[in-house]
Amino acid sequence: MTKSPATDNPRVTVTLKALVDLAKPAGMLSLGHANIRAAQSGNYLSHLKGRGMAFDETRLYQPGDDVRRIDWRVTARTDKPHSKIFKEERERPMFIAVDYRATMAFATRGVFKSVQAARLAGLLAWAALKQGDRIGGQIFSDDGCQELKPQTGKPALLRFLNALVNPDYNGAAVVNLAQPLARLLHHARPGSRVYILSDFRGMNSAAENHLANLARHCEVVLVHIADPLESSLPTQGRYRFTDGWREVLIDSGDKQRLQAYRQRFQDRQEYLQKLANKLRLTLIPCTTQQAPLDALNGTRAHPAA
């Protein structure tokens, strides 16, 4: 079988070699765990909205134990007060959700949005490995979803990178973002750092609710990927676009249409920013032309106010 030229084009297709080659630049990416502090008493001070301590054991209550840590079930069963003991979670789960829907198979400059999403995901996975975090994620497309449970070590990293190249989808076809976000809410355990790499087309009220519930227990980072053409059409001219099956002819000389086009993109950006502000998420913009490392290092450490 003869491959089409696009099959081997790194601007269009995700390759395992390209993802493996991200190991070195990932060393320059900081995931910012410096804000996490845990005291021996079990208190956890962080911007993270989940637990920073993992349950270890239950023992008899001792003077000075925090009454909020009393294990009421064991206390009722034994008729003696018991306390829950927690230990600091050294390995933090990272869950990386990657959008491979049809809208992501597009670019006029740089690389396809889907390829950019995969490169960003690869960088994050390598950085998580170097930091000792558990690596897992979700890949979703019009054909369904695939989830990978967070695990430690290089085998988990390679499993994730291979899934980015050859996803194994299951479940119903993805119609809008509500479906993958509902599954993400189920699979991402409390205390995880969750990255969602997408163009965020198909957001609706159900998707917003799932995102809000996810943000209550996880630190959520939205990476908005866009092609320059999505923000503004070229200057005067007639341009033909195709997806291989259909063609669209656009006349950018129509000033009214040009302004309406720009406004739609600005409205979507403002919507995402307001949503991030409301839910206290981090929002990172990234174009198809931008170096993934520059995008993640440029704004990742600055959550929405």
Side-chain angles (χ1 to χ4, degrees), residues 99-107 112-114 140 142 175 177 198-202 225-227 230 288:
D99 186 351
Y100 275 178
R101 293 176 299 161
T103 59
M104 297 289 287
F106 175 79
F112 266 21
K113 290 190 285 183
S114 56
F140 61 93
D142 304 285
V175 178
L177 283 178
S198 176
D199 59 7
F200 294 99
R201 291 180 180 270
I225 303 170
D227 182 79
E230 293 179 279
T288 54

Side-chain angles (χ1 to χ4, degrees), residues 68-123:
R68 293 173 297 180
R69 302 293 187 185
I70 290 178
D71 190 327
W72 295 107
R73 291 185 179 180
V74 177
T75 297
R77 188 171 66 249
T78 62
D79 203 27
K80 294 180 181 180
H82 281 70
S83 297
K84 292 180 179 178
I85 305 301
F86 293 84
K87 63 180 178 181
E88 184 180 359
E89 286 187 328
R90 298 293 181 182
E91 298 172 348
R92 186 179 183 186
M94 178 183 288
F95 215 88
I96 308 168
V98 182
D99 186 351
Y100 275 178
R101 293 176 299 161
T103 59
M104 297 289 287
F106 175 79
T108 57
R109 299 170 221 174
V111 300
F112 266 21
K113 290 190 285 183
S114 56
V115 173
Q116 188 73 307
R119 292 180 179 181
L120 290 161
L123 271 176

Side-chain angles (χ1 to χ4, degrees):
M1 179 178 177
T2 303
K3 293 183 179 180
S4 67
T7 304
D8 297 320
N9 188 340
R11 296 176 181 271
V12 173
T13 305
V14 180
T15 67
L16 185 59
K17 183 182 182 304
L19 298 179
V20 170
D21 288 345
L22 293 170
K24 186 175 180 179
M28 295 181 283
L29 177 62
S30 173
L31 299 181
H33 285 213
N35 291 329
I36 299 174
R37 307 192 307 276
Q40 291 298 320
S41 63
N43 294 324
Y44 184 70
L45 303 176
S46 170
H47 294 298
L48 179 63
K49 304 178 185 67
R51 281 188 180 175
M53 310 300 290
F55 175 73
D56 188 21
E57 62 177 343
T58 297
R59 61 159 168 78
L60 283 169
Y61 176 86
Q62 297 178 5
D65 284 353
D66 190 337
V67 295
R68 293 173 297 180
R69 302 293 187 185
I70 290 178
D71 190 327
W72 295 107
R73 291 185 179 180
V74 177
T75 297
R77 188 171 66 249
T78 62
D79 203 27
K80 294 180 181 180
H82 281 70
S83 297
K84 292 180 179 178
I85 305 301
F86 293 84
K87 63 180 178 181
E88 184 180 359
E89 286 187 328
R90 298 293 181 182
E91 298 172 348
R92 186 179 183 186
M94 178 183 288
F95 215 88
I96 308 168
V98 182
D99 186 351
Y100 275 178
R101 293 176 299 161
T103 59
M104 297 289 287
F106 175 79
T108 57
R109 299 170 221 174
V111 300
F112 266 21
K113 290 190 285 183
S114 56
V115 173
Q116 188 73 307
R119 292 180 179 181
L120 290 161
L123 271 176
L124 291 168
W126 276 110
L129 176 72
K130 293 176 186 294
Q131 196 159 273
D133 289 341
R134 280 170 282 166
I135 303 164
Q138 176 193 67
I139 303 166
F140 61 93
S141 79
D142 304 285
D143 298 321
C145 294
Q146 178 183 6
E147 280 83 22
L148 300 168
K149 182 179 179 180
Q151 295 179 348
T152 58
K154 202 163 187 178
L157 168 78
L158 294 176
R159 179 191 59 157
F160 180 65
L161 297 186
N162 275 298
L164 288 173
V165 177
N166 293 302
D168 183 16
Y169 300 119
N170 60 73
V174 173
V175 178
N176 55 56
L177 283 178
Q179 293 160 278
L181 286 175
R183 290 178 59 141
L184 192 60
L185 185 61
H186 176 74
H187 288 278
R189 59 172 291 187
S192 300
R193 171 173 282 155
V194 178
Y195 286 86
I196 305 174
L197 317 176
S198 176
D199 59 7
F200 294 99
R201 291 180 180 270
M203 286 290 293
N204 56 23
S205 58
E208 287 185 23
N209 289 335
H210 294 319
L211 198 57
N213 289 329
L214 185 67
R216 290 192 181 99
H217 305 290
C218 299
E219 180 184 0
V220 181
V221 181
L222 309 180
V223 183
H224 179 215
I225 303 170
D227 182 79
L229 188 71
E230 293 179 279
S231 61
S232 180
L233 288 170
T235 52
Q236 287 194 6
R238 293 166 67 85
Y239 300 89
R240 177 175 284 106
F241 298 89
T242 179
D243 59 4
W245 290 275
R246 295 165 298 178
E247 287 190 357
V248 176
L249 185 65
I250 296 178
D251 183 1
S252 63
D254 186 333
K255 292 184 179 181
Q256 187 173 358
R257 177 177 294 179
L258 189 63
Q259 180 57 36
Y261 183 92
R262 290 173 179 166
Q263 189 61 49
R264 279 196 299 272
F265 182 78
Q266 291 174 7
D267 289 345
R268 188 160 67 251
Q269 282 186 309
E270 290 175 7
Y271 160 75
L272 286 174
Q273 188 61 64
K274 288 179 180 178
L275 184 63
N277 292 344
K278 177 183 176 181
L279 302 180
R280 299 189 60 80
L281 314 177
T282 300
L283 177 63
I284 298 175
C286 180
T287 72
T288 54
Q289 290 179 293
Q290 196 170 3
L293 183 64
D294 290 345
L296 293 174
N297 273 339
T299 56
R300 196 220 61 77
H302 303 286

